Amino acid sequence: MKNPICDMLGIEFPLVAFSHCRDVVAAVSKAGGMGVFGGVNCTPETLEEELSWIDDHVDGKPYGLDIIVPNKVEGKGEQIDVDTTLAMIPDKHKQFSKDIMARHGVDPGDLEELRREHAVGADNLRGGNAGALLEVAFRHPIKLIANALGIPPQVMTDMGREHGVPVAALIGTKEHAMSQVAAGVDILIAVGGEAGGHTGDVATMVLIPEVCNALRDIGDDTPVLAAGGIATGSQMAAAMAMGASGVWCGSVWLTTAEAETNPVVKEKMLSATSRDTVRARSRTGKPSRQLRSPWTDAWEAEEAPRPLPMPLQSLVAEPPLRSIDKLSQGDNQGAKDLATYWVGQGVGLMNQPMSTAQVVQGFKEDFIAAYERLAANLEE
Amino acid sequence: MKNPICDMLGIEFPLVAFSHCRDVVAAVSKAGGMGVFGGVNCTPETLEEELSWIDDHVDGKPYGLDIIVPNKVEGKGEQIDVDTTLAMIPDKHKQFSKDIMARHGVDPGDLEELRREHAVGADNLRGGNAGALLEVAFRHPIKLIANALGIPPQVMTDMGREHGVPVAALIGTKEHAMSQVAAGVDILIAVGGEAGGHTGDVATMVLIPEVCNALRDIGDDTPVLAAGGIATGSQMAAAMAMGASGVWCGSVWLTTAEAETNPVVKEKMLSATSRDTVRARSRTGKPSRQLRSPWTDAWEAEEAPRPLPMPLQSLVAEPPLRSIDKLSQGDNQGAKDLATYWVGQGVGLMNQPMSTAQVVQGFKEDFIAAYERLAANLEE
């Protein structure tokens, strides 16, 4: 295929795959798309290890990296005290989590210990490591670097330019798109509200033409990757008919053979319809779309405490959810019931267990079928 | 264009326009699409009048009708007592509405009188008139009849079959689609959560392929019209690439020259982005998407009373909103601020005042451009 994204990234098929699983990343790149490794939870050491593994397994094909680099990375004045943070979590929220577990026969165990570990880990994300992560990243032959949150800092765009690596940023509104292009981003990833994880609420079907029109109006030719609910090649064709130059998909890889998704959650995803997700503040404090389970339902109920702001709500929700995740893989039925993970409405289209390469092949076939279906309407 | 919808409806271009404004209906049909008159608020007498007007102004082109016919129209045992209904509305809700008006310097006037009128009018909708409305409808040369709520009753599908008029039904989930085809509906209108008015929360981008796949899996060839957020020809091409045979649009006509939309609201819509809508229960008791205004914001606030179930919440919200609508067309700034109406996220793409014929022409040009854009990706 020939378009600005294929040219810029050096790929055949403009399907960009976001995954925390290096196997998925390598498999998508080898199949003609581009894998982008989600390195948000990495330290410089683990990132080095993951990217080296990908280098060894990607057959020289292009791949990318997605990290969070706060815009004010150079400030570094924002040291957070873990104890102070932990002390800010109301007992009510902790108790509510424990009660959900208890109602489902799940022993909460020592959540305080898990909570402290999580708080220390989260502290790493807040920019202290960003410089070191960028250094690791650019020692590897990455062909795309994406910033998962807000406007990339100058140091990131500078390093991208220096190494000839396009810098991408996620946006959820036309207004964000305008600020990102003003900041010099090379690729916009426009994420509709049906996406998994953190999302706005403008749907992909509206966001893509709205962003593309706004770019056209200012004479800007930054290419757009469409994201949000996209799990098939016909949706990819749809997004590209509306002006996107390709797609960015995350959820669809979660049910592949290679994915490290909890097998219990993988099964739930394969049988879920598009109605089985909820966009809620209860996991991180900001709206993020997740697979519905009795856990998310409990937090949506009238009597649930109001989710805390970021980063506090993660300290409420992650420790129990990680414990549930672990227990669900044994024979704890309550934990199996409660288990959940981030996923978009596209989960309703993910109904078959497949390898990553089969998903890419399916996209290609479905894309062509969609194009031919559209063309057939125009035949006399 | 050649496809099942064009064949079934006898039209050139599968753009179906839902409007309460007969001028829009006639103009779309004359421009090669199909206008569908929204007759939900009609009595048999006013419906006769509206359809006769359309007959006289549509140059023999096909048009349709959308009404609500409750599934149990023949029962008629559900007489509601207006006084009993009015007595069920808590003072808290009435007072909250008045307070919003007062804060914006709008005199509430006699809302009780308006409330009683609305309750009597709403009573008409509850099936008592359905038989008479259907009789009026089929005396006119309608080429489509759509049921706006639930599964059409047997009498409606029977009359459709007898007169050779396809029966369409609105759905918001794959499960609804399956029940509707089992009930013998001829056309499915799949409405994504970004639509104006009552909606589910599955986005158009996911709903269309999910419904089309489900139909394919049961070997059913009922054609699908895509709806929800669609205001341009490129979105129409996108929906058709995903398997729809055409689109059903409502919001896009609200800003046309012909539309009877309150001019104040029309202006707001033309300058709104896709973020300026809210899907809320505060207007009717069920989630419906509306233009945001300080009225909808007030009902979203923490301290707002919980919206009542249908039909009670309409009796809370409609009287003040109609009064606001009227006052906003004078020089009452508070009323101008509060004024709102149902509209989908596609409002972000409705930025130019145009005639209905221009909108249809724009769809055609944009559709071809989208098709060519998609095709260009496949050129060597």
Side-chain angles (χ1 to χ4, degrees):
Chain A
M1 241 184 240
K2 181 109 196 83
N3 78 26
I5 285 291
C6 291
D7 292 349
M8 204 180 262
L9 304 183
I11 57 177
E12 289 163 29
F13 187 63
L15 168 59
V16 184
F18 168 84
S19 177
H20 291 292
C21 172
R22 61 194 187 183
D23 299 81
V24 169
V25 172
V28 172
S29 289
K30 286 196 287 187
M34 180 187 246
V36 174
F37 181 70
V40 163
N41 297 317
C42 287
T43 61
E45 295 69 36
T46 58
L47 184 65
E48 174 60 40
E49 197 182 308
E50 299 282 2
L51 297 189
S52 297
W53 187 95
I54 295 172
D55 291 339
D56 290 345
H57 292 81
V58 79
D59 295 357
K61 298 287 185 181
Y63 72 91
L65 173 67
D66 176 278
I67 48 177
I68 291 183
V69 186
N71 195 259
K72 34 192 182 333
V73 57
E74 286 146 316
K76 278 193 181 175
E78 302 196 7
Q79 279 299 44
I80 325 169
D81 181 87
V82 168
D83 290 314
T84 315
T85 310
L86 288 173
M88 289 168 76
I89 304 172
D91 283 338
K92 187 177 159 196
H93 288 71
K94 297 189 209 173
Q95 192 57 47
F96 188 77
S97 303
K98 278 194 196 173
D99 290 347
I100 302 173
M101 297 173 89
R103 275 204 304 283
H104 290 266
V106 180
D107 176 6
D110 189 353
L111 292 177
E112 283 309 315
E113 186 50 37
L114 281 172
R115 190 164 283 129
R116 173 165 297 274
E117 276 170 33
H118 191 76
V120 173
D123 204 23
N124 280 333
L125 295 183
R126 243 167 296 281
N129 268 333
L133 287 171
L134 286 173
E135 265 179 46
V136 171
F138 285 104
R139 278 207 301 270
H140 292 266
I142 55 169
K143 297 291 179 227
L144 172 74
I145 189 158
N147 193 25
L149 197 73
I151 293 180
Q154 188 68 39
V155 56
M156 188 166 169
T157 30
D158 284 352
M159 287 181 90
R161 206 135 296 158
E162 196 183 309
H163 291 82
V165 174
V167 177
L170 277 77
I171 55 131
T173 67
K174 176 177 82 169
E175 293 75 11
H176 292 164
M178 296 295 98
S179 345
Q180 293 281 7
V181 297
V185 153
D186 303 299
I187 294 173
L188 290 172
I189 305 164
V191 188
E194 53 267 62
H198 288 117
T199 60
D201 70 355
V202 180
T204 305
M205 192 67 153
V206 173
L207 182 65
I208 304 306
E210 199 177 23
V211 166
C212 291
N213 290 352
L215 291 172
R216 185 201 56 204
D217 290 350
I218 61 165
D220 185 288
D221 61 0
T222 306
V224 174
L225 288 173
I230 300 174
T232 66
S234 77
Q235 295 167 294
M236 180 176 176
M240 291 172 68
M242 293 192 291
S245 300
V247 293
W248 169 277
C249 304
S251 299
V252 73
W253 316 108
L254 293 172
T255 50
T256 58
E258 289 86 350
E260 290 150 3
T261 314
N262 172 354
V264 172
V265 173
K266 211 185 255 193
E267 276 310 308
K268 286 187 183 187
M269 287 179 177
L270 287 169
S271 58
T273 77
S274 59
R275 297 168 85 183
D276 296 320
T277 73
V278 62
R279 180 173 170 271
R281 311 181 92 92
S282 55
R283 184 138 188 180
T284 71
K286 293 206 174 186
S288 74
R289 190 175 293 283
Q290 307 144 62
L291 191 66
R292 275 187 60 190
S293 87
W295 171 272
T296 62
D297 288 348
W299 281 94
E300 291 296 293
E302 187 85 358
E303 67 276 13
R306 250 180 119 65
L308 304 170
M310 235 180 200
L312 299 180
Q313 186 65 23
S314 290
L315 295 175
V316 172
E318 284 306 321
L321 284 170
R322 291 192 185 187
S323 162
I324 286 165
D325 205 58
K326 215 171 272 179
L327 291 167
S328 72
Q329 298 181 54
D331 57 2
N332 189 317
Q333 188 56 44
K336 287 183 202 295
D337 293 342
L338 290 169
T340 174
Y341 193 67
W342 287 287
V343 75
Q345 289 187 341
V347 73
L349 301 165
M350 294 151 47
N351 305 318
Q352 303 278 347
M354 286 196 267
S355 71
T356 300
Q358 283 173 323
V359 172
V360 177
Q361 183 58 25
F363 260 83
K364 290 180 183 175
E365 289 167 10
D366 201 27
F367 184 98
I368 296 295
Y371 171 74
E372 287 171 353
R373 187 157 50 218
L374 184 59
N377 286 284
L378 293 164
E379 280 164 18
E380 285 311 305
Chain B
M1 239 183 242
K2 181 108 194 83
N3 78 27
I5 285 291
C6 292
D7 292 348
M8 205 180 262
L9 305 183
I11 57 177
E12 289 164 28
F13 188 63
L15 169 58
V16 183
F18 169 83
S19 177
H20 291 292
C21 172
R22 62 194 187 184
D23 299 81
V24 169
V25 172
V28 173
S29 290
K30 286 196 287 187
M34 180 187 246
V36 174
F37 182 70
V40 164
N41 298 317
C42 286
T43 61
E45 295 70 35
T46 58
L47 184 65
E48 174 60 40
E49 198 182 307
E50 298 282 3
L51 297 188
S52 297
W53 186 95
I54 295 172
D55 291 339
D56 291 344
H57 291 82
V58 79
D59 295 356
K61 299 287 185 180
Y63 71 91
L65 172 67
D66 177 278
I67 48 176
I68 291 184
V69 186
N71 194 259
K72 33 191 181 335
V73 57
E74 286 146 316
K76 278 194 183 177
E78 303 197 5
Q79 280 297 44
I80 325 169
D81 180 86
V82 168
D83 289 314
T84 315
T85 310
L86 288 172
M88 288 168 76
I89 304 173
D91 284 338
K92 188 177 158 194
H93 288 72
K94 298 190 209 172
Q95 192 58 44
F96 188 77
S97 303
K98 279 195 195 170
D99 289 347
I100 302 173
M101 297 174 90
R103 276 204 304 281
H104 289 267
V106 180
D107 176 6
D110 188 353
L111 292 178
E112 284 308 315
E113 186 50 37
L114 281 172
R115 190 163 282 131
R116 173 166 297 274
E117 276 170 33
H118 190 78
V120 173
D123 204 22
N124 280 334
L125 294 183
R126 241 167 299 279
N129 269 331
L133 287 170
L134 285 172
E135 265 180 46
V136 171
F138 285 104
R139 278 207 301 270
H140 292 265
I142 55 168
K143 297 291 179 225
L144 172 75
I145 189 157
N147 193 25
L149 197 73
I151 293 180
Q154 188 69 39
V155 57
M156 187 166 169
T157 29
D158 285 351
M159 285 180 90
R161 206 134 296 158
E162 196 183 309
H163 291 81
V165 175
V167 178
L170 277 76
I171 55 130
T173 67
K174 175 177 83 169
E175 293 76 10
H176 293 164
M178 295 296 98
S179 345
Q180 293 282 8
V181 296
V185 152
D186 303 299
I187 295 173
L188 290 172
I189 305 164
V191 188
E194 53 267 63
H198 289 117
T199 60
D201 71 354
V202 180
T204 305
M205 192 66 154
V206 173
L207 182 65
I208 303 308
E210 200 177 21
V211 167
C212 291
N213 290 352
L215 291 172
R216 184 201 55 203
D217 290 349
I218 60 164
D220 185 288
D221 61 0
T222 306
V224 174
L225 289 172
I230 300 174
T232 65
S234 78
Q235 295 168 294
M236 180 177 177
M240 290 171 69
M242 294 192 291
S245 299
V247 292
W248 168 277
C249 303
S251 299
V252 72
W253 316 107
L254 293 172
T255 50
T256 58
E258 290 86 349
E260 290 149 2
T261 314
N262 172 353
V264 173
V265 173
K266 213 186 252 192
E267 276 309 309
K268 287 188 183 188
M269 287 180 177
L270 287 169
S271 58
T273 78
S274 59
R275 296 169 85 183
D276 296 320
T277 73
V278 62
R279 180 173 171 271
R281 311 180 91 91
S282 55
R283 184 140 188 178
T284 70
K286 292 206 176 187
S288 74
R289 191 175 293 282
Q290 308 145 60
L291 191 67
R292 275 188 60 191
S293 86
W295 172 272
T296 63
D297 288 348
W299 280 95
E300 291 297 292
E302 187 85 358
E303 67 276 14
R306 251 180 116 66
L308 304 171
M310 237 180 198
L312 299 180
Q313 186 64 23
S314 291
L315 295 174
V316 172
E318 285 305 322
L321 284 170
R322 291 191 185 188
S323 162
I324 286 166
D325 205 59
K326 215 170 270 176
L327 291 167
S328 72
Q329 298 180 55
D331 57 3
N332 189 317
Q333 189 56 45
K336 287 183 203 293
D337 294 341
L338 290 170
T340 174
Y341 193 67
W342 288 287
V343 75
Q345 288 187 343
V347 73
L349 301 165
M350 294 152 47
N351 305 317
Q352 304 277 348
M354 287 195 267
S355 71
T356 300
Q358 283 173 323
V359 172
V360 177
Q361 183 58 27
F363 261 81
K364 290 179 183 174
E365 289 166 9
D366 201 27
F367 184 99
I368 295 294
Y371 171 73
E372 288 171 351
R373 187 158 48 218
L374 184 59
N377 285 284
L378 293 165
E379 281 164 17
E380 287 310 308

